[in-house]
Amino acid sequence: MSNTKSTTETVHRVSFLDKDSLSIPILKILQADGTTFEEAVLPVIDQALAEKIHDTCVFTRVLDERMLGAQRQGRISFYMTCTGEEASVVGSVAALDDEDVILAQYREHAALRYRGFTTEQFMNQMFSNEKDLGKGRQMPIHYGCSALHYQTISSPLATQIPQATGVGYSLKMQGKRNVAICYFGEGAASEGDFHAGLNMAAVLKSPTIFFCRNNGYAISTPTSEQFAGNGIASRGVGYGMHTIRVDGNDMLAVLAATQQARAYALEHNAPVLIEAMTYRLGAHSSSDDPSGYRSKEEEAKWQQHDPVQRFKLWMINKGWLAESDDSALYEKYRQEVLASVKVAEKLPVVTIDELITDVYDTPTPRLEQQLKNLKQHIKKYPESYPNSAGRV
Ligand SMILES: Cc1ncc(C[n+]2csc(CCOP(=O)(O)OP(=O)(O)O)c2C)c(N)n1
Ligand SMILES: [Mg+2]
């Protein structure tokens, strides 16, 4: 037994363990009607924090609705919504310090908004215009913002997981009182990077919160075809990590779990895994149609568990929100998003000369040559490059 750290009971008959040997409870604080469970221990929250959380959720709903519409109108090329998962994302980011580093997957723009990313900044990224912080080098919704400690999204799944282990470790080495948080889907947890990242974090004691949004699907693949074990939480325990499963549509449960996860990570210089059970209410992306792989009844069932509505009812119960405040807020953001789209889509795109800056300190001769070839190509076929032809 020298390769196990825990004490192991000895038995004398064959006895196997299975996925249910480990019983994992789910933390729930808020009920569907906006009241809390009698015995529930609430997170630390005051009216100002509740209002900021609610404001972020409303903005995200509006942004998602309008920008999916903008994609359908051909104004942007691609979009992904957070709809249905707002409590998982906002409840967790609200438990953090503003200098904790966020490594997101792609469906967590609500966390960026919570940190202060402006409507204009969202639009500049989605329209890849000259004001985009990423200089138009990424698909829409692949945000990044160093000022807000939000690392740039990368499309290949799970690359952020071992990176987050390293970020948490470096924060520890620098003696900072900060953690890293790594968001990922349950589908991404099938990648090798997940296993390497979590094992390294546990062994090297990296203060990183691994936050899994278990939303039921990886595009069209349901969780039942993704893994056979007891969700993602069982794996955290397997790696020797502090682990919790929460109702991901319960803002107060997510907030409470993440507040305590952060405190634990800092106190013990150790990682924590949170598995938030939620549901992707929308399509995977603007390129997907879920009617081919799931039923309207299933979607309707989950509509009943709307996390934004549940938290709103709690605020109304507390006397912190009036129904009319809510509708005015939706209207304010609809106008703001619409006005911002109109400005951002008219700004020029980034010039092609910017393409090879920031790769090396000074561009290499090979890159210079490639840029020259590209410019010649665009000049030769201007009709294929309507946005760039006049700018080379
Ligand atoms: C390495 C890699 N494989 C496949 C894909 C294609 N892909 C993009 S998103 C996705 C599903 C991911 O599901 P999950 O991690 O559960 O996140 P969710 O979209 O549900 O939020 C897949 C397979 C990819 N981007 N990268
Ligand atoms: Mg998923």
Side-chain angles (χ1 to χ4, degrees):
M1 294 302 142
S2 58
N3 59 346
T4 61
K5 285 185 191 147
S6 313
T7 48
T8 304
E9 179 198 353
T10 303
V11 293
H12 305 291
R13 280 163 199 265
V14 174
S15 163
F16 293 100
L17 300 176
D18 63 26
K19 71 186 174 77
D20 297 319
S21 302
L22 182 67
S23 133
I24 306 174
I26 179 163
L27 177 70
K28 286 178 184 277
I29 293 181
L30 198 49
Q31 309 194 73
D33 63 358
T35 59
T36 54
F37 286 94
E38 215 170 287
E39 66 278 29
V41 180
L42 265 59
V44 181
I45 183 166
D46 60 12
Q47 185 170 351
L49 179 60
E51 283 172 356
K52 186 169 175 188
I53 288 172
H54 174 253
D55 184 280
T56 307
C57 290
V58 172
F59 173 82
T60 307
R61 278 275 155 104
V62 171
L63 185 77
D64 284 350
E65 181 198 299
R66 293 281 137 148
M67 297 320 291
L68 193 60
Q71 192 281 335
R72 295 283 180 256
Q73 293 166 347
R75 291 160 105 166
I76 56 170
S77 58
F78 181 76
Y79 196 73
M80 288 179 120
T81 68
C82 177
T83 311
E85 299 179 52
E86 293 90 345
S88 295
V89 177
V90 184
S92 50
V93 75
L96 304 179
D97 180 85
D98 277 352
E99 294 197 3
D100 290 342
V101 180
I102 299 175
L103 294 100
Q105 181 153 308
Y106 45 58
R107 212 181 285 290
E108 299 90 357
H109 40 284
L112 188 55
R113 175 65 175 193
Y114 184 88
R115 286 271 170 98
F117 209 59
T118 65
T119 309
E120 191 190 345
Q121 286 175 313
F122 275 106
M123 295 309 156
N124 292 337
Q125 197 285 333
M126 280 185 267
F127 285 96
S128 298
N129 67 32
E130 63 183 12
K131 287 189 173 173
D132 168 26
L133 297 180
K135 301 187 180 174
R137 292 167 183 171
Q138 287 262 25
M139 287 167 72
I141 71 112
H142 289 58
Y143 311 104
C145 182
S146 54
L148 299 176
H149 306 278
Y150 194 96
Q151 296 213 355
T152 304
I153 307 298
S154 66
S155 288
L157 286 173
T159 51
Q160 79 277 19
I161 301 177
Q163 290 167 5
T165 300
V167 170
Y169 193 74
S170 80
L171 291 168
K172 174 173 94 166
M173 297 301 280
Q174 293 168 69
K176 295 210 169 138
R177 298 290 295 160
N178 284 104
V179 301
I181 188 165
C182 179
Y183 291 100
F184 56 95
E186 83 297 335
S190 295
E191 288 286 338
D193 274 358
F194 167 86
H195 302 279
L198 263 73
N199 192 47
M200 276 197 298
V203 173
L204 299 174
K205 294 177 101 14
S206 166
T208 300
I209 299 170
F210 294 97
F211 193 100
C212 177
R213 295 179 290 95
N214 186 341
N215 63 7
Y217 289 88
I219 313 186
S220 57
T221 306
T223 50
S224 57
E225 291 172 29
Q226 186 75 238
F227 48 76
N230 189 343
I232 306 302
S234 61
R235 304 183 197 172
V237 180
Y239 285 119
M241 202 177 280
H242 234 45
T243 296
I244 188 167
R245 176 175 283 159
V246 299
D247 178 345
N249 287 22
D250 176 341
M251 191 71 77
L252 296 180
V254 175
L255 183 65
T258 317
Q259 281 176 346
Q260 293 201 31
R262 182 175 191 276
Y264 180 90
L266 281 179
E267 191 184 332
H268 298 269
N269 269 325
V272 180
L273 174 69
I274 300 175
E275 182 182 25
M277 309 309 288
T278 181
Y279 188 79
R280 195 197 74 213
L281 272 181
H284 169 70
S285 74
S286 53
S287 314
D288 174 47
D289 173 10
S291 67
Y293 57 84
R294 67 186 193 188
S295 67
K296 286 268 167 256
E297 292 72 42
E298 180 185 303
E299 291 176 4
K301 190 193 109 202
W302 279 93
Q303 292 279 2
Q304 305 301 313
H305 299 279
D306 183 340
V308 178
Q309 175 70 8
R310 206 192 298 183
F311 187 65
K312 171 182 153 180
L313 290 176
W314 181 70
M315 286 185 69
I316 291 174
N317 284 343
K318 300 271 298 175
W320 288 353
L321 185 78
E323 190 72 50
S324 54
D325 297 343
D326 194 44
S327 35
L329 196 59
Y330 274 95
E331 197 41 41
K332 181 186 111 173
Y333 282 139
R334 281 193 193 107
Q335 301 300 335
E336 189 176 307
V337 167
L338 217 68
S340 194
V341 165
K342 286 186 183 153
V343 175
E345 69 184 350
K346 290 202 184 77
L347 288 176
V349 293
V350 184
T351 67
I352 220 125
D353 292 294
E354 298 262 15
L355 196 61
I356 60 168
T357 60
D358 309 315
V359 182
Y360 298 101
D361 196 20
T362 39
T364 60
R366 192 185 290 248
L367 278 179
E368 299 274 19
Q369 185 58 46
Q370 286 176 0
L371 182 63
K372 216 167 126 194
N373 295 348
L374 179 65
K375 286 182 172 180
Q376 278 165 0
H377 171 83
I378 291 173
K379 273 198 180 135
K380 197 167 167 193
Y381 303 103
E383 63 288 351
S384 298
Y385 301 94
N387 291 330
S388 308
R391 312 191 85 217
V392 292

